[in-house]
Amino acid sequence: MADVDLSEPEKVYILHSVQENLREDGRGCEDFRHMEVETGLISNTNGSARVRLASTDVLVGIKVQLTPVDPKKPNVGRIEFFLDCSANATPAFEGRGGEGLASEITAMLTRSYSCFSAIDYTSLCLLPGQQCWLLYIDILLLECGGNLFDAVSIAVKAALFNLRIPNVTMTKDEGGIELDVSDDPFDFKRLDVSGAPVIVTVNKIGHQHVVDASEKEEACSLAKVMLGITEKGTVTAMKKEGSGSLDSESISEMIESAKNVGIELNKCLLNILKEEEAKIEEPVGFLR
């Protein structure tokens, strides 16, 4: 989403900066901006996180609910994504202006998490063929400052890391098996999110490409590739956007850049989340 109006001299300056691997804010082409990650913010959820990437601000809350399994997938749990674009983020979201963007982001997240190596979905199934956990992941886009897909995916992974799933006791009676969900806030299990992907968006600007594009850089880009990347560099989803064309060599280079950045981003994110958890008295972590 690039609503920034740039003059031709500004576009030329950004283009030349990218070509020299020295962007206008001093970053190299494969560098992310300073990011702030905070978890456990929303008391009435099972997990939550907030990510601030420059002026992009994303809040995620997760609630778990027991639900019948999908007959086509009787041995696994489910995840559903919902995104609300706050009208305070940008005037373009007033009314139903943000619905298209919300659909695009949730669709990309769904595709990225459809890979069963991303999450152990079998651990979310309580009674095969009967009951499983459904994770409702609610995303609120508070402010737009570029690179929305990546920021949202990072906030989702952070919230999943923070997720506390209540333990369940199963008892047999004449009517079958009864499930008793613990209401003890300290009686829970965690979800292994080490394989959960983050989205890395690579924007083509001139003959070069950049990650974590600012709004000005997005306005100078005619094509971009978004990829879901795991900590091992596995691509779980891929999508191309923009009116510009990309040759096979450019696509290969952009995918390779996304993999390298994604591996490092996953690693840094998990490290900072573990450090934050170990220091409850210091709830805010900084990812560089």
Side-chain angles (χ1 to χ4, degrees):
M1 181 178 180
D3 296 329
V4 179
D5 291 324
L6 299 178
S7 65
E8 285 305 314
E10 285 179 303
K11 291 181 179 180
V12 171
Y13 173 73
I14 291 174
L15 178 63
H16 287 174
S17 297
V18 169
Q19 299 305 114
E20 296 297 326
N21 195 29
L22 183 63
R23 296 151 77 175
E24 63 171 351
D25 55 8
R27 290 182 292 150
C29 290
E30 293 190 354
D31 293 336
F32 257 72
R33 290 168 290 181
H34 176 78
M35 187 183 306
E36 184 178 337
V37 182
E38 189 176 1
T39 60
L41 299 170
I42 310 175
S43 59
N44 64 340
T45 64
N46 297 96
S48 61
R50 186 173 186 175
V51 166
R52 299 178 184 89
L53 175 62
S55 57
T56 294
D57 196 351
V58 180
L59 181 65
V60 175
I62 304 177
K63 290 188 177 182
V64 299
Q65 177 181 309
L66 283 176
T67 189
V69 299
D70 182 345
K72 296 180 180 178
K73 300 176 181 178
N75 301 311
V76 298
R78 307 206 305 273
I79 292 180
E80 292 186 5
F81 297 96
F82 303 90
L83 191 148
D84 180 28
C85 297
S86 171
N88 294 326
T90 171
F93 291 162
E94 291 182 2
R96 303 177 65 177
E99 288 187 358
L101 177 64
S103 297
E104 290 179 20
I105 295 177
T106 54
M108 186 63 186
L109 285 169
T110 300
R111 289 175 59 194
S112 297
Y113 277 85
S114 63
C115 177
F116 275 80
S117 62
I119 292 290
D120 182 10
Y121 287 94
T122 59
S123 68
L124 297 175
C125 184
L126 297 172
L127 288 175
Q130 298 183 48
Q131 291 287 315
C132 68
W133 285 115
L134 172 59
L135 309 186
Y136 287 105
I137 301 182
D138 291 301
I139 306 159
L140 179 60
L141 186 56
L142 298 170
E143 192 172 353
C144 299
N147 203 17
L148 300 181
F149 284 77
D150 299 21
V152 167
S153 73
I154 292 167
V156 167
K157 182 164 183 172
L160 286 169
F161 179 90
N162 181 247
L163 182 63
R164 271 72 169 165
I165 302 176
N167 281 320
V168 177
T169 303
M170 302 183 192
T171 55
K172 291 184 178 180
D173 57 23
E174 295 180 357
I177 299 177
E178 182 177 340
L179 302 180
D180 182 23
V181 180
S182 175
D183 56 4
D184 183 347
F186 299 101
D187 186 22
F188 59 83
K189 67 176 182 178
R190 305 293 292 274
L191 191 64
D192 181 10
V193 298
S194 58
V198 295
I199 296 173
V200 178
T201 302
V202 186
N203 283 264
K204 185 77 171 181
I205 300 177
H207 298 293
Q208 265 288 12
H209 55 263
V210 302
V211 301
D212 185 26
S214 66
E215 285 186 296
K216 289 183 178 181
E217 290 171 337
E218 288 179 344
C220 296
S221 174
L222 295 178
K224 63 182 178 182
V225 175
M226 295 173 288
L227 301 102
I229 306 292
T230 70
E231 64 169 356
K232 295 182 179 180
T234 302
V235 178
T236 63
M238 179 175 174
K239 181 181 181 182
K240 184 262 183 186
E241 282 191 352
S243 58
S245 61
L246 295 172
D247 57 51
S248 58
E249 183 178 353
S250 293
I251 293 175
S252 297
E253 291 176 353
M254 293 166 77
I255 292 175
E256 195 62 30
S257 290
K259 285 183 178 181
N260 294 335
V261 172
I263 290 171
E264 185 63 22
L265 185 57
N266 274 295
K267 179 182 176 181
C268 291
L269 178 60
L270 283 179
N271 285 342
I272 204 66
L273 290 171
K274 290 174 182 177
E275 289 176 7
E276 178 189 4
E277 188 177 65
K279 300 177 181 179
I280 303 176
E281 69 278 7
E282 298 177 9
V284 178
F286 295 96
L287 178 64
R288 295 185 185 275

